[in-house]
Amino acid sequence: MKRFLRSGHDSVRERLKRDLFQFNKTVEHGFPHQPSALGFSDSLRLMAIGTRSGAIKVYGCPGVEFMNLHEQNNAVIKISFVPNQCQLITLLDDNSLHLWSLRQQDGGSELLEEKKFTLRGPPGAPPSVTQIKVLLAHSSGERLFVGTEGGSVFTLALPSLQVLEEKTVGHDMALQGLPDEYSDRRPFESVEALQEHPKNPDQILIGYSRGLMMVWDVRAGRSAQRFLGTQQLENIYWCRDAQQIISCHNDGGYSQWEASGEHIQQSPMENKVPYGPFRCKAIGKITWLTSRRGSPYIVFQGGMPMASYGDRHSISVVHGSQQTAFDFTSRVIDHVVICNSDPTADYDDPRALLVLAEEELVAIDLQTPGWPVIQCPYLVSLHCSAITCSYHISSIPLKLWERIITAGKKQNTQYSSMPWPVDGGVNLAEAPRQRDLLLTGHEDGTVRFWDASGICLQLMYKMSSVGVFQTDMDPNENLNSQGEEDWPPLRKVGSFDPYSDDPRLGIQKIYLCKYSGYLSVGGTAGQVLVLELNDEASQHAVDHTLVDLLQEQEGYRWKGHERLNARQDPVRFPPGFQPFALVQCQPPAAVTSLVLHSEWRLLALGTSHGFGVYDFQRKCQVMVKCTLHASDQLALEGPLSRVKSLKKSLRQSFRRIRRSQVNKRRDGVTTKVRTVQEANARLEQEALHEMELAPVQRKIEARSAEDSFTGFVRTLYFADTFIRDSIRHSPSLWAGTNGGTVYAFSLRVPPTERRMEEAVSASQIKEIQLMHRAPVVGILILDGHSVPLPEPLEAAHDLSKSPDMQGSHQLLVISEEQFKVFTLPKVSSKLKLKLTATEGCRVRKAAVCTFGSCRAEDHTENHLTVLTNLGDIQVVSLPHLKPQVRYDCIRREDVSGIASCVFTKSGQGFYLISPSEMERFSLSTCWLIAPRCKVDPPEPSVNGRPRRGDSTERQSERSRQVTWTKQVFHKYLLPCIIRGGEPGL
């Protein structure tokens, strides 16, 4: 009977697990890593980006996102949308073509691969004959033209991707009818560009690398016009009125050809080198767009003077007397000019310039004077400066949320007010249920606030800590300060800036209290700032306090970098988070742990040398504890000194090897045999001892107290609990180190009315040393109901239940190798879970998450979520420490991804999958944030050309009306017409 009840209980628990836990990788945020191709659809208003790893990503209006992967890991080098169809074609660097469709399923759309094809040449032909360089999807949606390195243009049928041999345009066809002196002087080479006639779909323009351009009549199968260029061709553009053809060349110039002139044109109407007369870089792409305002818009990529600006990545825009060369900090891959989407319009009327660079996407408003940048709603440059830490906070109060948004708007006055120009598709996802913030610390000393509530990660506000310190930053390095007479007229755009003025400014730890608005950040040089939110700009000096973590102990000398010097004069701070206190640790080692208690007005900080408590209300030090061990010499060396020590240790190792080899030569054969036999016996004993463990198990070895970095403070925790006795609870601070030591301090915090008169005091009460000296990753205290203590001010704001202070509290210590529960205040061991001994892994991150049931809304459970060094995520129950579920999340080789992972309170998480991308995952069945969207095909119109409405919603409404009309006709009207009677609706 007991066995039956136990099995029944287990089955109920398994069903509850399925209702609580479900692992999903939901959405990626940030900029795609290593982008390699850009595509844009005028009819769908969608943008596609391909990467070197074979990923294809399609974006529309905010929330409309599609992503898929090619089976091969080859780079995507070309993307072409099929006009008037929900299809696109990708070309990989292995010369394979892939057809993708946005297919509608279950009310939404999915990006699926339909076909793939590799162009093969005749037997014995060199690979260059069929090596594809250019793609052109015909406006009819029935043909695909591909230009090759061998000089041929093949025609493929869509969607079958079958080659139409009779439609192939070989290089011998292009040479027919050319003057002998031109064909003899110009050897034939690859196809560089393909363009369709703007008004006649039966003609295409073919551009060859040696300068020849030819208009080919597809229907008649013959040449209609030739342009005999003499300069190496890079790209071509056929103007909207079909009267001009623009060709750009490798000498940094472009040429204008008359498209309605003679059959063979010997020379262009005009040649121009925009940044000549000296040698210039090639113009890789050019666009010539007409405007109602008179002068055309000329947009070209490259063309900078080689000697002075050969290292610049630029795109120039010329409109009448206005000319600007937009300068990017990374290589430009491709650009698209978004124009009037109606093909029957008389003018292009360009709206925006979309530029894909290696490290960011930049959109420029071409309709507003000054051509300002449009803020991207997605594809944000998370890594504008290298990310050094992350911090997530859930359920932000509305007042704090609005204040952060207001401060961000005051920063973003330089952005354009134009709506995002890529507005295709319909977002079907539900509105976010709560307001979440993701804070990222960067190497340049900034903290960026991201709206992480929904699918798109949007920048809300940026806080900079640079103004507090004296740095060597040169304000004259900004290119925006150039005058109007400077030539070329460079203007720096984009936010990607991989260089840091001072690496000591890097942010290492962040803590934000969402109830009080206090923010604290710790840096690489031991600096800790305390900031508060202010809606108005202010000018004041920041109080700074020096905290000596070594407590003037003899025999210790810091060999690393110097600390940052704070400004003594008042500093003007813009609206937003403004610093009012600075704590400088001495030695200036990186801050390794940080926690703030807004109700007690206390701040705790830790480094590799110790930890301390700072009273940021009275702006004074409370206590300091040095955790440095006598053998922790590496903790006293900075990064540069550590490199020298590494070289020294390597040199000593080589010397020991040489000495051992010399000694081996001197020893006799008998000594060698004896040594080998002893070594073999020792190895056999070790192997037999290891066989006692299961293959997946790994032995937990006790660590020596002399290991390096044992004093490294890994975690700090404030708690109001029973630390002295079981009768009275009091404020306390708990600290865990890398050597497996837990320190407990009792704090005396005066009442609010006497807070400024009386000082906060601290005294050490307990010290726990874990047996195996494993690093302490986390510390948690459970109340009498075995529920984690709430955050400061959380219960005061009625956002959580008040903790139970009647029963006994429990202390949970999370080390890299095991979880252990102690009773308080006696600190006696209650139970433990040895993770390393059973799973063979080590804990890297741990957090308490709240999981809700997908069936019973009122049922929630608090569990411990753990990330290990193997990249898997495990959920452990509290307080019984029973493993619940385990999921593979991150590759074990991805060390940076594991180190960057951060959990949310609702059972989600973020981690870096590349330096520029952050992936979001969910462990809870109730919290699944994933893109849900659809794309409707464009509405056809007369003359075989598409007609775009104002929005995709309007198109879908029209398509529904047409469908309803057809149904009514076939169901009611058509039978009546056949019978000869009247319709009976």
Side-chain angles (χ1 to χ4, degrees), residues 717-751:
Y717 180 70
F718 279 119
D720 186 2
T721 186
F722 301 94
I723 187 172
R724 292 181 178 272
D725 52 53
S726 58
I727 300 174
R728 291 174 299 177
H729 56 88
S730 62
S732 63
L733 172 68
W734 302 77
T737 70
N738 211 50
T741 307
V742 177
Y743 299 95
F745 280 75
S746 176
L747 304 175
R748 181 189 173 276
V749 182

Side-chain angles (χ1 to χ4, degrees), residues 208-225:
Y208 299 94
S209 60
R210 288 294 184 175
L212 172 66
M213 295 182 294
M214 177 179 66
V215 178
W216 183 261
D217 193 316
V218 177
R219 186 178 297 273
R222 59 180 177 82
S223 172
Q225 200 172 8

